Structure formats: C-alpha cells, structure tokens
Amino acid sequence: MSPATATQTGPTQPLQQPAEIRIYNTLTKTKEQLEPLRPPQIGMYLCGPTVYAESHIGHMVGPVIFDTIKRFLSYSGYQVTWVVNITDVDDKLIAKSRERQIPMSQIAVEMTADYLANLRELGVTQIDHLPRATDHMPQIIRFIESLESKGFAYEVDGDVFFEVSKDPHYGQLSNRTLEAMQGEGGEAAGKKRAAGDFALWKSARHGEPAWDSPWGKGRPGWHIECSAMSHEILGETFDIHGGGLDLMFPHHENERAQSSCCHDAPMVKYWMHNGLMRAGEKGKVGGKSDRQTSDDAAGKISRSKGAGGLSDLIRRHTGERIRFFLLRTQYRSTIVYSEEGLDEAGTALATFYRFFERFAEITGESFYDLPAPRTRDAGSVDPGGDPTLTEAVALRDKFLAAMDDDFNTGLAISTLFDLLRTANRFIDQQGLAAGAAADSAPVQTLKTLGGVIRDLTAVLGLFRKPPLDSGDSQADAELTEALMRLLIDLRKEARAKKDFATGDMIRDRLGEAGIALLDKKDGTSWERKS
RNA sequence: GGCGACGUGGCCAAGUGGCUAAGGCGAUGGAUUGCAAAUCCAUUAUUCGUCGGUUCGAAUCCGACCGUCGCCUCCA
C-alpha cells in the first residue's frame, strides 16, 4: 500500500511544477517524484543529536546534505520549513550528569553549543526551527495521553508503553515483522506486555530530572519528542523526514508508529536516510596486495568508540573542506572517513580558489561578492550563440539534472570541475589578464561564466566567504601578507636582473615553509600548500 | 540466525539495459615558463568481485559463490 495515496489535501490546483525532482523513499525503496503535500510549501524534519557529548564528523552528514537539499529545493521554487530537533533529556544525559556531577541541563547547553558551532562552520545555515525536548513537555504529555486514550498505549507503575501489536503497519519502514523481533525487552521487560513495546514515558527514579505528568513524575522516552515536536511545527503529515540509516530502527519505526496511530494519518510522505560514515583503515596505501588484511577494525564512527573532536578537525581542515568532502559522495552511500580523503578534498578545492583569484584579478570583482540568483529561472543564461557560454549552459543543465535525481551532489560537483576548465580555457585562449578592459566582450563573458559558477556553488552551500587561514588573527594575516609582498618583490627584482639563483632560493625556501608561489603574466601570488 | 547495503582504473567516486564507462587525486607526455608552480591539451579501466544465466545487447536484470559493511541493544 502506498502511503502517498492515503493523504488527501483537497483539490489539487494546477500548480506549476518547478522541476522534476525525484527522491529515494526508504519506505517504498524506490525513487519517487517529489509532489509536496501543500506546494509550494515543504515540511522537512531531520533527527538531530542527543546532546550528551561532543559531536563527531559522522553527525554532520545529515545536516550537510539536508542543508543542501533545502538550498536546492528553495532554488527550485519551493518554500521549505526545516526542523532539526535537539534531544536534551535522555538516559545518556542523566548518566553523564552523574559522572560529571553537574546538572543535565548544563551538559545539554554545552553540547548544544558545540553542535551549533560545528554546523555553522560547515555552512549549515538553513535550519528554521531547533526545538528542544525539554521545551515541549506539555506537547509530549498530551501526545502520550492521546495515544493512551486511543488504546495504543498502557501504563504500568508510572511507566507508559506503546503497544506495538496495535499498529498494523509496525515494521513497515524497517521491513521487519513482529515475529522476527524477539529481543529481550530491555530493562523494563517485566513490565511490558510484549518485548517489542517501547517506553513513551519513564517514571523517575530518585535524583533523576523529572516532570509532572498524569502518570506521576517522570521523563519522556526516546522517540516521542520527535513525534510531538514534528507534529507541533510541521503538522500531522509532512513531506520529508530524514536521518541516518542507523535510526531507521527502532527510532524512526517507533516515531512513525506513534504519529500515525495518534493522528490516524501517515506521518511522512518521503523518508530519507543518509549513509553512515566509517573510519578508514590505517594510513598505508600499499601496492597491489592481493590479501585484504583488515586487521584494523574499521567500523562505523560513533561516540561509543570515542569519536569526537570535530572542532579540532575543523581547525585543521576547515569547515568548507569537510562539507565538500561530504558532498562529493552520494548521500545514501557509506563515506569512508580518512585524513587522506580530507587532504584530497582540500587539493581539489584549491583549484576553485585559484580560479576565484584569477577571476578577481581580471574582472576587478570578487567572486564572493557576486550575487547568487535565488531561483533556477533567475540563474539561467542566454548563451546568444557564444560557444563558451553554450558549453556553460549545457553544464549547468547537467548540474541541475544531477540534483533533480535524488540530490546527486557528487555528479553535480563533477560538472563544476568541467565548468572551471571551461572558464580557465577561455581565459587562456583569450589571453585575459589583470587590467583587461572591464567592458570588453571577453571580460563580460568571463563574468557570466563566473556568475554561473557562483550560482551553482551557492546551491551546494560552498564558497560563502573567502577561505581564511584558520587560527590566524587579523593582525597576523596582515603581517603575513606584507612579508610575502616583500619576498615576492625581492624575487621579482632578482629575476629582472637574471639573478635566477636568488629568485629560486626565495621560492625554494618558501616552498620548504609550505608556501607555493604562482607566477602569472600579471604578477605573482602565493598560497599555502595543503 | 533474521533483515539490508555494497564490491567500477593506483586511490576516491558517478553511472542501474544500448552513443567512445563522468569527475577528482595521482602518474606520464606536450603547450606555456629562464626553470618551476599554476593553467590548458593529450594519454592513463576493451572493462565494471568471481562463475553461470536471461537478452539482439548488461557494469546495469536473475542465480550461485567469494569479500566488505550496517541494522536487529544506545547511536547521525
């Protein structure tokens, strides 16, 4: 049975479908045409973190891809409301609170700040609502009451459980049958009617954070906060629900059960699950070794294995590099994390940065200041018979087609490289350099090319601002710039006198210090080697 | 044990029935350069884990096998 058919939104008016966007729906295991419930509005929910510890890079996969999805959907003419929850009450938080001898709420505040700072660094800026579980106790309690009154839940000594067998569709999302699930039932096994039943409300033990409820003092179970808060903000049925593959069961299965039983309506139209990140093996890149000696237990990255330190990773690699690294892989596949992979992403990114410098030198305009068109239509370009622009338009179309097909960011990025080559080739062929007449036709064409690249990279949330040398203060950066200017001028003078030995020494010594010089027709610039 | 994903060049990674198998990193040759770097051009998988099968035709569908990984307990 298709969940899509179960939703009635009244007469569908002839809405202009902005684009043929297809989404892989984990519920149906097929790619489906995106048809929002209430176009042009789209409601989107992503399961956020339980804030008991620092986030690690794996936590960023979902936010980065969904941030990109929202940017792309907005670009395609939709108005997206994106919600990411913060779960700030839970067993792990309580345990952490005991361990550190500080209130649970303080840990939650600290770790939420850490999470948000990381999101900011990775350019995740599109979230509209960040609801916290503890701010929604009345809604959560009402939700549970409603389930209880409809016969889907039962109370035992202050605990309330969802009775899984009452939901005829239970197991549909994660594709498992009740019979196949024969767990132990966890610590509350003795109280539950069936092992698969799960807690909606947990009675408080001594010293635990607790809220008043019809069942006595206690706290919400896992799952229920997402049902209550998504309902509060996005309604009974909304368009897209996302999260990591590992949340499919039990979290999403239970969420779905709670919400659809409570409202007697499908909870979500499109379920999306991103792949998980794995830790790569050790550094060695061997030759052709026939035997796969995977002595290094490479597995899913998780907090329980001590993963963390994302802010340190950002400091070393920059948020943009990490975002780019994540976006180069299709969101449903496993991403293997490795330092080498991140380094390579940095190398690839440098090609973009060099083009932006070239662009600025020739046009006199900063790439980063170019306006990014807000819609596909506004961003379209009329090539007017120009072969270079014709090529660019074709590549832009390819980019958009890739994104239309279940947000294939990896394929989309490949067209960006093609676009870069097109632009660089054009510059070379035209012999463009600093000082070119601003109103000349080639410069205008280059500006148009730059505009297309600006447009598309903005959809991916890249190049929002010039790359900074992380850790440098403003004053240090200025000093570095002045010293580099001096060295470059000295070398220039030496070379003018054909004193190549001195010139090369300056270049070599800078190279040893991790700085590369780039000689161009119109002068020399420098960059840090990654 | 149950359910599921994946296995594409040296590495990363698109492509899920049919033009010459994207793109990145790396490598090699060339243009350019005083020499480099950057940029551009060219080359770098007759082949897509293995073996069968379906088909006029498969990396793409089916089966078996090998291998890697995930979920089934907290996890983005």
Side-chain angles (χ1 to χ4, degrees):
Chain A
M1 50 194 66
S2 161
T5 55
T7 310
Q8 305 290 337
T9 36
T12 22
Q13 23 274 127
L15 45 109
Q16 79 291 36
Q17 204 69 39
E20 306 261 300
I21 296 173
R22 303 199 311 145
I23 294 181
Y24 183 85
N25 188 347
T26 340
L27 184 62
T28 59
K29 295 188 168 54
T30 55
K31 279 184 193 172
E32 296 174 14
Q33 178 79 38
L34 171 63
E35 285 163 4
L37 268 5
R38 296 168 284 271
Q41 315 283 343
I42 289 181
M44 190 163 95
Y45 187 94
L46 175 72
C47 281
T50 299
V51 283
Y52 71 92
E54 280 190 335
S55 40
H56 62 256
I57 185 171
H59 291 122
M60 297 292 118
V61 178
V64 165
I65 182 64
F66 274 80
D67 181 82
T68 304
I69 288 172
K70 177 171 174 184
R71 288 172 194 266
F72 181 67
L73 292 177
S74 304
Y75 187 66
S76 299
Y78 293 108
Q79 290 161 25
V80 183
T81 303
W82 181 22
V83 181
V84 178
N85 67 288
I86 300 287
T87 298
D88 58 354
V89 48
D90 142 288
D91 290 353
K92 293 210 165 182
L93 266 152
I94 292 171
K96 203 68 161 181
S97 157
R98 286 229 180 82
E99 184 189 318
R100 290 179 56 188
Q101 300 283 318
I102 55 176
M104 181 177 84
S105 57
Q106 187 181 331
I107 294 170
V109 166
E110 280 176 19
M111 295 307 152
T112 301
D114 171 75
Y115 182 71
L116 297 181
N118 291 145
L119 291 186
R120 213 166 23 248
E121 288 294 326
L122 297 217
V124 177
T125 62
Q126 304 292 302
I127 301 172
D128 299 291
H129 299 274
L130 275 161
R132 284 163 227 267
T134 54
D135 290 337
H136 293 79
M137 283 302 161
Q139 291 90 331
I140 289 171
I141 289 167
R142 250 183 276 131
F143 205 106
I144 299 173
E145 283 182 310
S146 174
L147 281 171
E148 202 178 18
S149 71
K150 288 175 183 171
F152 292 104
Y154 57 92
E155 186 209 343
V156 182
D157 302 335
D159 288 338
V160 184
F161 299 100
F162 184 91
E163 188 161 15
V164 151
S165 61
K166 291 284 172 64
D167 175 11
H169 300 300
Y170 194 79
Q172 191 182 20
L173 179 62
S174 53
N175 187 31
R176 53 190 86 201
T177 58
L178 285 176
E179 302 78 66
M181 288 181 282
Q182 34 195 268
E184 299 297 308
E187 57 186 28
K191 293 182 175 180
K192 296 194 282 192
R193 292 180 187 168
D197 292 353
F198 56 91
L200 296 167
W201 189 261
K202 296 182 173 185
S203 58
R205 284 169 295 203
H206 354 287
E208 291 179 346
W211 286 260
D212 286 321
S213 82
W215 317 282
K217 282 193 174 297
R219 64 178 188 279
W222 189 25
H223 324 307
I224 191 68
E225 82 280 18
C226 283
S227 284
M229 298 194 294
S230 65
H231 172 240
E232 165 91 359
I233 301 170
L234 297 174
E236 295 186 353
T237 303
F238 54 93
D239 298 287
I240 298 172
H241 188 128
L245 217 41
D246 53 350
L247 292 183
M248 191 145 93
F249 186 89
H251 186 54
H252 291 161
E253 191 70 67
N254 292 352
E255 250 184 273
R256 210 195 111 273
Q258 292 162 350
S259 289
S260 56
C261 288
C262 184
H263 305 127
D264 194 25
M267 179 190 191
V268 167
K269 195 164 176 189
Y270 307 98
W271 283 92
M272 295 179 70
H273 289 93
N274 58 268
L276 304 177
M277 182 171 278
R278 283 199 305 133
E281 10 272 309
K282 300 182 288 195
K284 46 91 231 263
V285 183
K288 23 74 177 291
S289 57
D290 305 338
R291 325 207 82 252
Q292 302 279 91
T293 44
S294 55
D295 50 329
D296 203 87
K300 186 177 72 169
I301 291 181
S302 70
R303 284 164 167 167
S304 52
K305 290 182 186 167
L310 177 57
S311 43
D312 177 58
L313 200 65
I314 291 170
R315 211 169 300 121
R316 285 188 291 120
H317 285 288
T318 76
E320 181 146 89
R321 182 182 295 189
I322 295 170
R323 183 181 181 107
F324 185 76
F325 172 72
L326 297 180
L327 253 18
R328 287 179 84 185
T329 304
Q330 215 280 342
Y331 75 89
R332 281 187 283 122
S333 5
T334 301
I335 302 178
V336 178
Y337 160 80
S338 71
E339 283 288 318
E340 295 76 41
L342 246 21
D343 286 341
E344 191 196 307
T347 305
L349 232 27
T351 308
F352 284 89
Y353 299 142
R354 283 186 213 107
F355 169 73
F356 301 156
E357 274 193 44
R358 267 189 127 179
F359 180 87
E361 282 160 11
I362 295 165
T363 65
E365 287 178 30
S366 166
F367 175 84
Y368 300 95
D369 293 337
L370 292 176
R374 299 187 161 247
T375 64
R376 289 192 185 206
D377 288 346
S380 70
V381 165
D382 176 11
D386 182 299
T388 300
L389 293 182
T390 301
E391 203 177 320
V393 167
L395 289 170
R396 180 176 185 272
D397 289 345
K398 197 176 163 193
F399 178 102
L400 297 175
M403 291 298 287
D404 283 339
D405 185 14
D406 197 31
F407 316 107
N408 192 337
T409 52
L411 185 57
I413 285 174
S414 78
T415 69
L416 253 25
F417 282 102
D418 291 334
L419 233 19
L420 231 40
R421 186 176 304 112
T422 302
N424 276 323
R425 188 195 298 133
F426 180 76
I427 292 172
D428 287 354
Q429 285 172 352
Q430 299 290 322
L432 291 176
D439 54 355
S440 67
V443 171
Q444 290 305 314
T445 300
L446 177 59
K447 281 189 186 178
T448 305
L449 283 170
V452 171
I453 295 170
R454 167 71 288 173
D455 191 15
L456 268 22
T457 53
V459 170
L460 298 181
L462 293 170
F463 315 126
R464 304 170 309 282
K465 54 181 193 242
L468 293 174
D469 291 320
S470 46
D472 274 9
S473 72
Q474 182 66 24
D476 282 349
E478 284 171 14
L479 177 62
T480 304
E481 191 56 50
L483 291 172
M484 286 307 303
R485 220 54 263 171
L486 172 64
L487 289 166
I488 287 169
D489 286 346
L490 283 172
R491 175 163 169 270
K492 188 178 171 186
E493 281 191 30
R495 295 174 74 210
K497 291 183 219 154
K498 302 277 186 214
D499 178 8
F500 294 120
T502 301
D504 289 350
M505 184 192 76
I506 292 175
R507 185 176 62 197
D508 293 346
R509 292 283 291 276
L510 285 172
E512 287 166 22
I515 286 171
L517 294 181
L518 310 178
D519 288 332
K520 295 171 221 171
K521 286 193 174 111
D522 42 15
T524 300
S525 61
W526 64 279
E527 67 184 21
R528 283 180 207 267
K529 299 177 188 171
S530 52

